[in-house]
Amino acid sequence: MMRIHRLLILIIVLTTVTSPLRSIGAIIQNGENPDSIIHKAKAIIKDEEEKIEEKIAEEHEHLAQEIAQDSLHPSSTLWMKQLVENGFRIHDPNIYYPRFPRFLLKVYNWGDRTFNSYDPDYVIGTGKNWKLQGKSYNWFETSSIFFPRNSILNMHSDLFADAGGHISFMAVSVGYMWNMNELFKKSTSRHTFNFDFTCSRFTINIQSTKSDGGMILTKLGDYNDGRHFHYDFNDVVINTFYVDAYYFFNNKRYSNAAAYSYSKYQLKSAGTAIVGFNFTEQNMNMDFSSLPDEMLEHLPLETPYYTFHHKDYAILGGYGYNWVLKPRRWLINVTAMGAIGYKRTYEDATDGKRDLVANNYKLSVGSVYNHKALFVGGVLKINGFLYYNSNFTHFNTLNTFSIIVGMRF
C-alpha cells in the first residue's frame, strides 16, 4: 500500500510540473517583455505549488482512511497467529487484539497490578509464561481416638502414590497422574482432587479426597497389652473436603508462589502474618464388626459401628516465612496455621446432631532449588482435624508429600 501511495504522489508531481511549463511557453510566444514574463511565471508556479500541496494532502488523508478502515476490520484470527509466532508474549505491542480479547487483556493487566505486584528488591517474576513439570504425589491418612485411662484406637492408611506430569501456561495447567500403587498390586479405591490459585495478596486451595479401605490398625484399646500391632483393616470409608482462602499481610515482600508454584523468585528472606477462612466437611464410616472376636472384645467404642460426619466453619490464622539461602538458588518455606470456629455434626453421626467448637490445624513445608530455567521442589503438607466430646477425643490427619522436577520456558 505504501509503494502505491508513493507512486501516486510522483504522478501528481509530474503532471502538475508539466502544466505550468506549457502555460509559461504560451506567454513567451505572445512576445511580452521579459519583466512581464517573469512576473506571470512566478504567479503560475506559486499557484501550481499550492495545488501540489493540496493534492498531496488529499492523498495522505485518503491513505490514513484506508489504514484506519483496515484496522477496524482485521482478521478475527490474526492475533492468535501473532501470539503463536512470538511465543505467547501477550504484551507484545505488535499484536493486534480484537475488541473482546483486548478487553480481557486490560482486565488481566488490572488484576496483575492490583493483586500480583511485589517489591522488586524482594520478589521478581521468572520472565517465563510456560512450565513443564514431572510430579510424584503421595498421601496417607491417620485416625486416632483417645479414650479415658490412656486407651487408644489408632490406625493409618497405606501410602497412596501417584505420578505424572503437567504443562502450565501462566495460571492454567493441564496434566495427568497415574496410580502407582497398581504397579505393586496393592491398589485401593480412592479419589483426589486439588485446585490452587495463588497471587501476591491471597491464595485459595480446594482439596477433596476419598478412600475406601487400605487402613492399618496399630492400636485397639488394651488389645495386645496396649502395644502396637499391624492388622489390615478395609472396612472404613473416609471422605474429606475442605476450602482454604487466606490473605498475606506482607504481600509486597513475601511470595507464596515462589515456594509452591515456582512462578516467582524470592530474592531476600521475608515472612508474613496470615488470616483467612476455612470450610471443612468430613464423613467417616468405620465397621469393626468384621474383626476377630479376640480383637472385638477390646474395642473401646460402645458399638462396632462408628460414623463421624461434620461441617466446620472457621477463622484461619497463622504465619509463613521464606528463607533464601545463598547464592539465592535455595528457598525454604514453613507455614503454620490454626483454625477455630463452629462445628456441626449431623444426625447420621454416632454422636448425633451437635453444635461444637471446631479446631483444625495446618502445616506446610516447601523447598525449591532453582538453576536458570530448571527447578526441583519438595512439598510436605499436614492437615489436622480435631473433634472432642465427653467420651473421647478424635484427631485425624490428611498428609501429602510431593516431589516436583520442572523447567520454565
Side-chain angles (χ1 to χ4, degrees):
M1 182 179 292
M2 293 299 296
R3 291 181 178 178
I4 295 175
H5 174 65
R6 294 192 186 103
L7 181 61
L8 290 173
I9 292 177
L10 179 62
I11 294 172
I12 291 171
V13 171
L14 291 175
T15 55
T16 50
V17 166
T18 56
S19 178
L21 291 177
R22 288 195 300 269
S23 300
I24 293 172
I27 293 173
I28 294 173
Q29 289 178 356
N30 290 335
E32 299 186 20
N33 62 68
D35 291 337
S36 176
I37 291 173
I38 292 172
H39 178 74
K40 289 184 177 181
K42 287 181 177 180
I44 291 171
I45 292 172
K46 182 179 180 180
D47 181 61
E48 293 300 330
E49 286 178 347
E50 292 177 352
K51 291 180 180 179
I52 290 174
E53 291 176 356
E54 183 179 350
K55 289 182 179 181
I56 291 176
E58 290 177 355
E59 183 62 28
H60 277 300
E61 182 179 358
H62 179 68
L63 177 63
Q65 291 176 352
E66 288 184 350
I67 293 174
Q69 186 72 15
D70 290 341
S71 66
L72 289 174
H73 301 284
S75 170
S76 60
T77 59
L78 175 62
W79 65 281
M80 299 180 186
K81 179 181 178 181
Q82 291 173 326
L83 273 177
V84 173
E85 290 175 349
N86 79 350
F88 290 90
R89 294 191 294 271
I90 62 175
H91 293 105
D92 188 337
N94 295 318
I95 297 177
Y96 182 85
Y97 288 102
R99 181 176 300 176
F100 184 66
R102 191 185 314 123
F103 167 75
L104 295 180
L105 182 62
K106 289 180 179 179
V107 172
Y108 168 80
N109 290 337
W110 171 83
D112 192 49
R113 290 191 304 269
T114 305
F115 299 107
N116 212 26
S117 59
Y118 293 93
D119 181 343
D121 290 334
Y122 282 79
V123 180
I124 60 172
T126 63
K128 307 293 184 180
N129 290 330
W130 293 87
K131 292 194 299 288
L132 181 63
Q133 302 179 61
K135 184 175 183 179
S136 171
Y137 179 76
N138 312 277
W139 60 284
F140 68 97
E141 298 168 290
T142 70
S143 184
S144 299
I145 305 177
F146 302 90
F147 300 89
R149 297 184 298 276
N150 295 323
S151 181
I152 301 173
L153 193 161
N154 189 70
M155 68 182 73
H156 64 80
S157 72
D158 292 321
L159 180 65
F160 304 134
D162 299 315
H166 56 272
I167 187 169
S168 306
F169 174 70
M170 301 178 70
V172 180
S173 179
V174 177
Y176 188 80
M177 304 291 286
W178 286 270
N179 183 346
M180 302 304 292
N181 293 93
E182 292 182 347
L183 298 178
F184 304 100
K185 298 181 180 180
K186 198 176 181 181
S187 181
T188 300
S189 177
R190 55 189 172 84
H191 162 81
T192 62
F193 170 81
N194 182 264
F195 170 83
D196 281 294
F197 176 81
T198 299
C199 63
S200 66
R201 292 180 180 267
F202 63 89
T203 187
I204 299 173
N205 175 246
I206 301 174
Q207 177 84 34
S208 174
T209 64
K210 179 181 179 180
S211 62
D212 187 348
M215 299 295 285
I216 300 170
L217 270 172
T218 59
K219 267 197 172 186
L220 185 66
D222 56 2
Y223 175 75
N224 197 35
D225 295 327
R227 297 192 303 268
H228 280 82
F229 62 94
H230 186 287
Y231 181 84
D232 291 334
F233 180 54
N234 291 313
D235 295 323
V236 56
V237 178
I238 302 175
N239 289 278
T240 301
F241 174 82
Y242 66 82
V243 179
D244 294 327
Y246 43 90
Y247 178 84
F248 305 111
F249 282 93
N250 189 21
N251 51 72
K252 295 297 183 181
R253 296 184 173 183
Y254 171 89
S255 173
N256 194 72
Y260 297 104
S261 301
Y262 317 113
S263 57
K264 302 292 179 183
Y265 293 131
Q266 183 88 39
L267 303 180
K268 296 180 181 180
S269 298
T272 183
I274 300 169
V275 67
F277 173 78
N278 165 252
F279 168 79
T280 301
E281 180 176 8
Q282 281 195 315
N283 193 353
M284 184 181 302
N285 294 276
M286 301 179 182
D287 182 2
F288 296 97
S289 62
S290 61
L291 293 178
D293 292 339
E294 63 271 18
M295 294 179 64
L296 191 58
E297 64 183 17
H298 296 280
L299 181 69
L301 291 167
E302 294 181 357
T303 69
Y305 304 98
Y306 176 70
T307 301
F308 181 50
H309 187 193
H310 71 92
K311 288 184 180 179
D312 295 350
Y313 307 86
I315 299 299
L316 187 69
Y319 195 83
Y321 196 86
N322 278 342
W323 282 276
V324 179
L325 307 181
K326 293 183 179 180
R328 298 196 303 192
R329 292 182 179 177
W330 279 101
L331 174 66
I332 298 175
N333 173 273
V334 176
T335 301
M337 294 180 286
I340 186 168
Y342 166 70
K343 181 188 294 288
R344 179 186 179 185
T345 62
Y346 283 79
E347 293 84 355
D348 58 345
T350 298
D351 287 345
K353 183 177 179 180
R354 303 183 67 184
D355 298 316
L356 303 166
V357 175
N359 292 112
N360 300 323
Y361 305 91
K362 298 180 181 295
L363 175 66
S364 299
V365 179
S367 65
V368 59
Y369 177 79
N370 294 293
H371 178 67
K372 298 181 180 179
L374 305 177
F375 60 90
V376 179
V379 177
L380 170 67
K381 293 186 177 183
I382 300 174
N383 295 274
F385 312 95
L386 181 64
Y387 168 75
Y388 46 86
N389 58 29
S390 58
N391 297 319
F392 58 82
T393 299
H394 186 179
F395 183 70
N396 65 296
T397 66
L398 173 63
N399 315 278
T400 66
F401 176 71
S402 303
I403 298 175
I404 301 97
V405 178
M407 63 177 295
R408 308 176 185 93
F409 59 97

